[in-house]
Amino acid sequence: MKCAIMQPTYLPWAGYFNLISQVDTFVFLDDAQYQKNSWHNRNRILLNKSVHWITVPVKKSSLNQTILTSSIDNTQPWRKKHIKKLQQTYAKSPFSGNVMEICQKLESTKVNNLAKLNIEMICWVMSKLDIDTKIMLASGMEITMQRTNTIIEILKILKADTYISPLGSADYLKEDDFIKKTTVELFFQDYASEPYHQYKADIFTSHLSIVDVVANLGWSGAKQYVG
């Protein structure tokens, strides 16, 4: 059984969904340490040919704050701001109607928790891309280990025989002796963000939120792009 494990991030890029599509079970590491101004609560879109960040405001609670224990600061009108920004940015893109669907989903996702927001949005996008990978939460496994040992324990619980990891995790998996600690086969994701036509852009900007892919390729095109 193939498995992948990732922290839930806000409206992630196409490669995130590619990773989910490559495995039988995908585990959200929702109890991981929260990092301020990381992919946990923000992502990038292309505004007037330049990268623009959209950020979900999060309340600070403690030094040990996890994504799961992170409360969204809904006293700030961040949803309205994000929706307005997305509508303005992609109003004339080829698939602006699909972006409106994302805006409507974001508006209807009335949660106060960052992990729940990210997971609900990710799972909804999965359904639009026809990705039917099984989803699980690390928080429900009650694991107290750290870093690579957490991953190994999750794989053990799931009885996985293959672990597919983002290439960016290669260094710490090697440093933590992943291969020596488990018999699970380790593979690294092989996904390249190929250029696609971005409305009115002169130069392609990669690793933007999945919203940009949908705006320019539509759901059907995004499904093929995610592959």
Side-chain angles (χ1 to χ4, degrees), residues 168-194:
S169 301
D171 288 342
Y172 87 75
L173 288 174
K174 181 178 180 181
E175 181 182 331
D176 292 350
D177 290 327
F178 177 92
I179 295 177
K180 293 181 180 179
K181 291 180 177 179
T182 179
T183 59
V184 176
E185 285 194 90
L186 174 62
F187 292 92
F188 290 101
Q189 180 187 20
D190 181 19
Y191 181 77
S193 182
E194 295 293 336

PDB file of all heavy atoms in Angstrom, residues 168-194:
ATOM      1  N   GLY A 168      11.688  17.631  -1.197  1.00  0.00           N
ATOM      2  CA  GLY A 168      12.204  18.558  -0.207  1.00  0.00           C
ATOM      3  C   GLY A 168      12.486  17.934   1.144  1.00  0.00           C
ATOM      4  O   GLY A 168      13.169  18.535   1.985  1.00  0.00           O
ATOM      5  N   SER A 169      11.963  16.735   1.383  1.00  0.00           N
ATOM      6  CA  SER A 169      12.176  16.049   2.664  1.00  0.00           C
ATOM      7  C   SER A 169      13.354  15.093   2.629  1.00  0.00           C
ATOM      8  O   SER A 169      13.653  14.441   3.639  1.00  0.00           O
ATOM      9  CB  SER A 169      10.909  15.267   3.053  1.00  0.00           C
ATOM     10  OG  SER A 169       9.795  16.133   3.165  1.00  0.00           O
ATOM     11  N   ALA A 170      14.030  15.006   1.505  1.00  0.00           N
ATOM     12  CA  ALA A 170      15.107  14.028   1.323  1.00  0.00           C
ATOM     13  C   ALA A 170      16.216  14.175   2.356  1.00  0.00           C
ATOM     14  O   ALA A 170      16.696  13.179   2.917  1.00  0.00           O
ATOM     15  CB  ALA A 170      15.682  14.141  -0.093  1.00  0.00           C
ATOM     16  N   ASP A 171      16.625  15.402   2.626  1.00  0.00           N
ATOM     17  CA  ASP A 171      17.759  15.626   3.531  1.00  0.00           C
ATOM     18  C   ASP A 171      17.475  15.147   4.947  1.00  0.00           C
ATOM     19  O   ASP A 171      18.288  14.454   5.558  1.00  0.00           O
ATOM     20  CB  ASP A 171      18.138  17.112   3.563  1.00  0.00           C
ATOM     21  CG  ASP A 171      18.808  17.557   2.278  1.00  0.00           C
ATOM     22  OD1 ASP A 171      19.277  16.683   1.518  1.00  0.00           O
ATOM     23  OD2 ASP A 171      18.867  18.778   2.021  1.00  0.00           O
ATOM     24  N   TYR A 172      16.287  15.512   5.484  1.00  0.00           N
ATOM     25  CA  TYR A 172      16.046  15.123   6.873  1.00  0.00           C
ATOM     26  C   TYR A 172      15.720  13.634   7.000  1.00  0.00           C
ATOM     27  O   TYR A 172      16.010  13.012   8.031  1.00  0.00           O
ATOM     28  CB  TYR A 172      15.003  16.020   7.539  1.00  0.00           C
ATOM     29  CG  TYR A 172      13.557  15.646   7.401  1.00  0.00           C
ATOM     30  CD1 TYR A 172      13.009  14.590   8.132  1.00  0.00           C
ATOM     31  CD2 TYR A 172      12.705  16.367   6.568  1.00  0.00           C
ATOM     32  CE1 TYR A 172      11.671  14.257   8.027  1.00  0.00           C
ATOM     33  CE2 TYR A 172      11.355  16.046   6.474  1.00  0.00           C
ATOM     34  CZ  TYR A 172      10.848  14.995   7.202  1.00  0.00           C
ATOM     35  OH  TYR A 172       9.516  14.659   7.102  1.00  0.00           O
ATOM     36  N   LEU A 173      15.154  13.035   5.956  1.00  0.00           N
ATOM     37  CA  LEU A 173      14.914  11.582   5.991  1.00  0.00           C
ATOM     38  C   LEU A 173      16.244  10.830   5.994  1.00  0.00           C
ATOM     39  O   LEU A 173      16.400   9.819   6.687  1.00  0.00           O
ATOM     40  CB  LEU A 173      14.069  11.158   4.788  1.00  0.00           C
ATOM     41  CG  LEU A 173      12.595  11.575   4.816  1.00  0.00           C
ATOM     42  CD1 LEU A 173      11.919  11.209   3.507  1.00  0.00           C
ATOM     43  CD2 LEU A 173      11.856  10.919   5.988  1.00  0.00           C
ATOM     44  N   LYS A 174      17.206  11.349   5.245  1.00  0.00           N
ATOM     45  CA  LYS A 174      18.541  10.749   5.222  1.00  0.00           C
ATOM     46  C   LYS A 174      19.237  10.967   6.557  1.00  0.00           C
ATOM     47  O   LYS A 174      19.840  10.053   7.120  1.00  0.00           O
ATOM     48  CB  LYS A 174      19.366  11.361   4.092  1.00  0.00           C
ATOM     49  CG  LYS A 174      20.771  10.774   3.975  1.00  0.00           C
ATOM     50  CD  LYS A 174      21.524  11.399   2.807  1.00  0.00           C
ATOM     51  CE  LYS A 174      22.936  10.808   2.707  1.00  0.00           C
ATOM     52  NZ  LYS A 174      23.693  11.419   1.580  1.00  0.00           N
ATOM     53  N   GLU A 175      19.127  12.178   7.071  1.00  0.00           N
ATOM     54  CA  GLU A 175      19.753  12.524   8.354  1.00  0.00           C
ATOM     55  C   GLU A 175      19.207  11.671   9.485  1.00  0.00           C
ATOM     56  O   GLU A 175      19.936  11.280  10.408  1.00  0.00           O
ATOM     57  CB  GLU A 175      19.504  14.005   8.646  1.00  0.00           C
ATOM     58  CG  GLU A 175      20.109  14.513   9.931  1.00  0.00           C
ATOM     59  CD  GLU A 175      19.772  15.978  10.174  1.00  0.00           C
ATOM     60  OE1 GLU A 175      19.587  16.714   9.191  1.00  0.00           O
ATOM     61  OE2 GLU A 175      19.704  16.380  11.355  1.00  0.00           O
ATOM     62  N   ASP A 176      17.922  11.342   9.424  1.00  0.00           N
ATOM     63  CA  ASP A 176      17.272  10.546  10.471  1.00  0.00           C
ATOM     64  C   ASP A 176      17.319   9.046  10.217  1.00  0.00           C
ATOM     65  O   ASP A 176      16.687   8.265  10.943  1.00  0.00           O
ATOM     66  CB  ASP A 176      15.815  10.986  10.623  1.00  0.00           C
ATOM     67  CG  ASP A 176      15.683  12.395  11.183  1.00  0.00           C
ATOM     68  OD1 ASP A 176      16.694  12.962  11.621  1.00  0.00           O
ATOM     69  OD2 ASP A 176      14.552  12.935  11.179  1.00  0.00           O
ATOM     70  N   ASP A 177      18.044   8.652   9.172  1.00  0.00           N
ATOM     71  CA  ASP A 177      18.230   7.218   8.859  1.00  0.00           C
ATOM     72  C   ASP A 177      16.919   6.479   8.609  1.00  0.00           C
ATOM     73  O   ASP A 177      16.690   5.379   9.126  1.00  0.00           O
ATOM     74  CB  ASP A 177      18.993   6.504   9.987  1.00  0.00           C
ATOM     75  CG  ASP A 177      20.446   6.928  10.065  1.00  0.00           C
ATOM     76  OD1 ASP A 177      21.028   7.226   9.000  1.00  0.00           O
ATOM     77  OD2 ASP A 177      20.998   6.968  11.179  1.00  0.00           O
ATOM     78  N   PHE A 178      16.062   7.089   7.815  1.00  0.00           N
ATOM     79  CA  PHE A 178      14.779   6.459   7.504  1.00  0.00           C
ATOM     80  C   PHE A 178      14.965   5.043   6.965  1.00  0.00           C
ATOM     81  O   PHE A 178      14.293   4.102   7.414  1.00  0.00           O
ATOM     82  CB  PHE A 178      14.025   7.310   6.472  1.00  0.00           C
ATOM     83  CG  PHE A 178      12.706   6.727   6.026  1.00  0.00           C
ATOM     84  CD1 PHE A 178      11.520   7.072   6.671  1.00  0.00           C
ATOM     85  CD2 PHE A 178      12.629   5.826   4.961  1.00  0.00           C
ATOM     86  CE1 PHE A 178      10.298   6.539   6.271  1.00  0.00           C
ATOM     87  CE2 PHE A 178      11.425   5.282   4.550  1.00  0.00           C
ATOM     88  CZ  PHE A 178      10.262   5.635   5.210  1.00  0.00           C
ATOM     89  N   ILE A 179      15.847   4.868   6.011  1.00  0.00           N
ATOM     90  CA  ILE A 179      16.035   3.575   5.346  1.00  0.00           C
ATOM     91  C   ILE A 179      16.487   2.494   6.324  1.00  0.00           C
ATOM     92  O   ILE A 179      16.111   1.316   6.195  1.00  0.00           O
ATOM     93  CB  ILE A 179      17.051   3.704   4.185  1.00  0.00           C
ATOM     94  CG1 ILE A 179      16.468   4.619   3.101  1.00  0.00           C
ATOM     95  CG2 ILE A 179      17.399   2.351   3.598  1.00  0.00           C
ATOM     96  CD1 ILE A 179      17.413   4.874   1.949  1.00  0.00           C
ATOM     97  N   LYS A 180      17.285   2.879   7.325  1.00  0.00           N
ATOM     98  CA  LYS A 180      17.795   1.902   8.285  1.00  0.00           C
ATOM     99  C   LYS A 180      16.761   1.538   9.345  1.00  0.00           C
ATOM    100  O   LYS A 180      16.847   0.487   9.979  1.00  0.00           O
ATOM    101  CB  LYS A 180      19.054   2.445   8.965  1.00  0.00           C
ATOM    102  CG  LYS A 180      20.250   2.594   8.041  1.00  0.00           C
ATOM    103  CD  LYS A 180      21.467   3.105   8.801  1.00  0.00           C
ATOM    104  CE  LYS A 180      22.661   3.251   7.871  1.00  0.00           C
ATOM    105  NZ  LYS A 180      23.850   3.782   8.603  1.00  0.00           N
ATOM    106  N   LYS A 181      15.778   2.417   9.538  1.00  0.00           N
ATOM    107  CA  LYS A 181      14.812   2.220  10.618  1.00  0.00           C
ATOM    108  C   LYS A 181      13.555   1.468  10.203  1.00  0.00           C
ATOM    109  O   LYS A 181      12.762   1.070  11.059  1.00  0.00           O
ATOM    110  CB  LYS A 181      14.404   3.576  11.202  1.00  0.00           C
ATOM    111  CG  LYS A 181      15.521   4.275  11.964  1.00  0.00           C
ATOM    112  CD  LYS A 181      15.038   5.618  12.507  1.00  0.00           C
ATOM    113  CE  LYS A 181      16.118   6.305  13.333  1.00  0.00           C
ATOM    114  NZ  LYS A 181      15.668   7.618  13.853  1.00  0.00           N
ATOM    115  N   THR A 182      13.351   1.296   8.898  1.00  0.00           N
ATOM    116  CA  THR A 182      12.127   0.647   8.434  1.00  0.00           C
ATOM    117  C   THR A 182      12.371  -0.128   7.149  1.00  0.00           C
ATOM    118  O   THR A 182      13.320   0.155   6.408  1.00  0.00           O
ATOM    119  CB  THR A 182      11.017   1.697   8.209  1.00  0.00           C
ATOM    120  OG1 THR A 182       9.840   1.038   7.733  1.00  0.00           O
ATOM    121  CG2 THR A 182      11.445   2.733   7.197  1.00  0.00           C
ATOM    122  N   THR A 183      11.509  -1.096   6.914  1.00  0.00           N
ATOM    123  CA  THR A 183      11.594  -1.873   5.673  1.00  0.00           C
ATOM    124  C   THR A 183      10.708  -1.283   4.580  1.00  0.00           C
ATOM    125  O   THR A 183      10.658  -1.794   3.461  1.00  0.00           O
ATOM    126  CB  THR A 183      11.186  -3.332   5.919  1.00  0.00           C
ATOM    127  OG1 THR A 183       9.850  -3.367   6.434  1.00  0.00           O
ATOM    128  CG2 THR A 183      12.122  -4.009   6.910  1.00  0.00           C
ATOM    129  N   VAL A 184       9.982  -0.226   4.910  1.00  0.00           N
ATOM    130  CA  VAL A 184       9.106   0.431   3.941  1.00  0.00           C
ATOM    131  C   VAL A 184       9.954   1.043   2.831  1.00  0.00           C
ATOM    132  O   VAL A 184      10.950   1.732   3.096  1.00  0.00           O
ATOM    133  CB  VAL A 184       8.260   1.531   4.614  1.00  0.00           C
ATOM    134  CG1 VAL A 184       7.436   2.279   3.575  1.00  0.00           C
ATOM    135  CG2 VAL A 184       7.351   0.923   5.676  1.00  0.00           C
ATOM    136  N   GLU A 185       9.571   0.786   1.587  1.00  0.00           N
ATOM    137  CA  GLU A 185      10.317   1.337   0.454  1.00  0.00           C
ATOM    138  C   GLU A 185      10.081   2.840   0.341  1.00  0.00           C
ATOM    139  O   GLU A 185       8.946   3.305   0.471  1.00  0.00           O
ATOM    140  CB  GLU A 185       9.895   0.661  -0.850  1.00  0.00           C
ATOM    141  CG  GLU A 185      10.433  -0.738  -1.033  1.00  0.00           C
ATOM    142  CD  GLU A 185      10.261  -1.209  -2.468  1.00  0.00           C
ATOM    143  OE1 GLU A 185      11.165  -0.990  -3.301  1.00  0.00           O
ATOM    144  OE2 GLU A 185       9.195  -1.781  -2.745  1.00  0.00           O
ATOM    145  N   LEU A 186      11.160   3.565   0.116  1.00  0.00           N
ATOM    146  CA  LEU A 186      11.089   5.015   0.027  1.00  0.00           C
ATOM    147  C   LEU A 186      11.259   5.485  -1.409  1.00  0.00           C
ATOM    148  O   LEU A 186      12.233   5.134  -2.084  1.00  0.00           O
ATOM    149  CB  LEU A 186      12.178   5.646   0.893  1.00  0.00           C
ATOM    150  CG  LEU A 186      12.349   7.164   0.800  1.00  0.00           C
ATOM    151  CD1 LEU A 186      11.085   7.889   1.266  1.00  0.00           C
ATOM    152  CD2 LEU A 186      13.568   7.609   1.614  1.00  0.00           C
ATOM    153  N   PHE A 187      10.302   6.249  -1.887  1.00  0.00           N
ATOM    154  CA  PHE A 187      10.391   6.857  -3.208  1.00  0.00           C
ATOM    155  C   PHE A 187      10.146   8.361  -3.056  1.00  0.00           C
ATOM    156  O   PHE A 187       9.437   8.792  -2.147  1.00  0.00           O
ATOM    157  CB  PHE A 187       9.344   6.263  -4.159  1.00  0.00           C
ATOM    158  CG  PHE A 187       9.583   4.823  -4.517  1.00  0.00           C
ATOM    159  CD1 PHE A 187       9.001   3.805  -3.768  1.00  0.00           C
ATOM    160  CD2 PHE A 187      10.387   4.485  -5.588  1.00  0.00           C
ATOM    161  CE1 PHE A 187       9.211   2.478  -4.085  1.00  0.00           C
ATOM    162  CE2 PHE A 187      10.617   3.155  -5.917  1.00  0.00           C
ATOM    163  CZ  PHE A 187      10.035   2.148  -5.166  1.00  0.00           C
ATOM    164  N   PHE A 188      10.747   9.130  -3.961  1.00  0.00           N
ATOM    165  CA  PHE A 188      10.537  10.569  -3.929  1.00  0.00           C
ATOM    166  C   PHE A 188       9.664  10.997  -5.103  1.00  0.00           C
ATOM    167  O   PHE A 188       9.791  10.480  -6.213  1.00  0.00           O
ATOM    168  CB  PHE A 188      11.880  11.305  -3.956  1.00  0.00           C
ATOM    169  CG  PHE A 188      12.648  11.153  -2.676  1.00  0.00           C
ATOM    170  CD1 PHE A 188      13.702  10.249  -2.583  1.00  0.00           C
ATOM    171  CD2 PHE A 188      12.293  11.885  -1.554  1.00  0.00           C
ATOM    172  CE1 PHE A 188      14.390  10.087  -1.401  1.00  0.00           C
ATOM    173  CE2 PHE A 188      12.981  11.736  -0.357  1.00  0.00           C
ATOM    174  CZ  PHE A 188      14.030  10.836  -0.279  1.00  0.00           C
ATOM    175  N   GLN A 189       8.778  11.906  -4.821  1.00  0.00           N
ATOM    176  CA  GLN A 189       7.855  12.405  -5.825  1.00  0.00           C
ATOM    177  C   GLN A 189       8.613  12.983  -7.020  1.00  0.00           C
ATOM    178  O   GLN A 189       9.554  13.758  -6.852  1.00  0.00           O
ATOM    179  CB  GLN A 189       6.958  13.475  -5.205  1.00  0.00           C
ATOM    180  CG  GLN A 189       5.939  14.077  -6.167  1.00  0.00           C
ATOM    181  CD  GLN A 189       5.206  15.249  -5.542  1.00  0.00           C
ATOM    182  OE1 GLN A 189       5.683  15.842  -4.571  1.00  0.00           O
ATOM    183  NE2 GLN A 189       4.045  15.588  -6.083  1.00  0.00           N
ATOM    184  N   ASP A 190       8.182  12.606  -8.186  1.00  0.00           N
ATOM    185  CA  ASP A 190       8.794  13.118  -9.414  1.00  0.00           C
ATOM    186  C   ASP A 190       7.747  13.939 -10.148  1.00  0.00           C
ATOM    187  O   ASP A 190       6.996  13.433 -10.969  1.00  0.00           O
ATOM    188  CB  ASP A 190       9.278  11.944 -10.285  1.00  0.00           C
ATOM    189  CG  ASP A 190       9.951  12.417 -11.567  1.00  0.00           C
ATOM    190  OD1 ASP A 190      10.362  13.593 -11.624  1.00  0.00           O
ATOM    191  OD2 ASP A 190      10.051  11.614 -12.521  1.00  0.00           O
ATOM    192  N   TYR A 191       7.710  15.220  -9.815  1.00  0.00           N
ATOM    193  CA  TYR A 191       6.705  16.086 -10.428  1.00  0.00           C
ATOM    194  C   TYR A 191       7.320  17.425 -10.787  1.00  0.00           C
ATOM    195  O   TYR A 191       7.936  18.087  -9.954  1.00  0.00           O
ATOM    196  CB  TYR A 191       5.526  16.314  -9.477  1.00  0.00           C
ATOM    197  CG  TYR A 191       4.439  17.200 -10.073  1.00  0.00           C
ATOM    198  CD1 TYR A 191       3.548  16.693 -11.016  1.00  0.00           C
ATOM    199  CD2 TYR A 191       4.332  18.540  -9.705  1.00  0.00           C
ATOM    200  CE1 TYR A 191       2.555  17.498 -11.570  1.00  0.00           C
ATOM    201  CE2 TYR A 191       3.344  19.353 -10.251  1.00  0.00           C
ATOM    202  CZ  TYR A 191       2.466  18.830 -11.189  1.00  0.00           C
ATOM    203  OH  TYR A 191       1.497  19.640 -11.745  1.00  0.00           O
ATOM    204  N   ALA A 192       7.165  17.806 -12.026  1.00  0.00           N
ATOM    205  CA  ALA A 192       7.689  19.095 -12.495  1.00  0.00           C
ATOM    206  C   ALA A 192       6.533  20.027 -12.814  1.00  0.00           C
ATOM    207  O   ALA A 192       5.551  19.611 -13.434  1.00  0.00           O
ATOM    208  CB  ALA A 192       8.566  18.885 -13.731  1.00  0.00           C
ATOM    209  N   SER A 193       6.656  21.261 -12.387  1.00  0.00           N
ATOM    210  CA  SER A 193       5.621  22.250 -12.660  1.00  0.00           C
ATOM    211  C   SER A 193       5.825  22.806 -14.063  1.00  0.00           C
ATOM    212  O   SER A 193       6.513  23.802 -14.275  1.00  0.00           O
ATOM    213  CB  SER A 193       5.696  23.379 -11.622  1.00  0.00           C
ATOM    214  OG  SER A 193       4.677  24.330 -11.828  1.00  0.00           O
ATOM    215  N   GLU A 194       5.244  22.116 -15.041  1.00  0.00           N
ATOM    216  CA  GLU A 194       5.427  22.507 -16.437  1.00  0.00           C
ATOM    217  C   GLU A 194       4.713  23.838 -16.721  1.00  0.00           C
ATOM    218  O   GLU A 194       3.627  24.086 -16.197  1.00  0.00           O
ATOM    219  CB  GLU A 194       4.878  21.418 -17.367  1.00  0.00           C
ATOM    220  CG  GLU A 194       5.622  20.093 -17.276  1.00  0.00           C
ATOM    221  CD  GLU A 194       7.041  20.176 -17.798  1.00  0.00           C
ATOM    222  OE1 GLU A 194       7.305  21.077 -18.629  1.00  0.00           O
ATOM    223  OE2 GLU A 194       7.881  19.356 -17.370  1.00  0.00           O
TER     224      GLU A 194
END
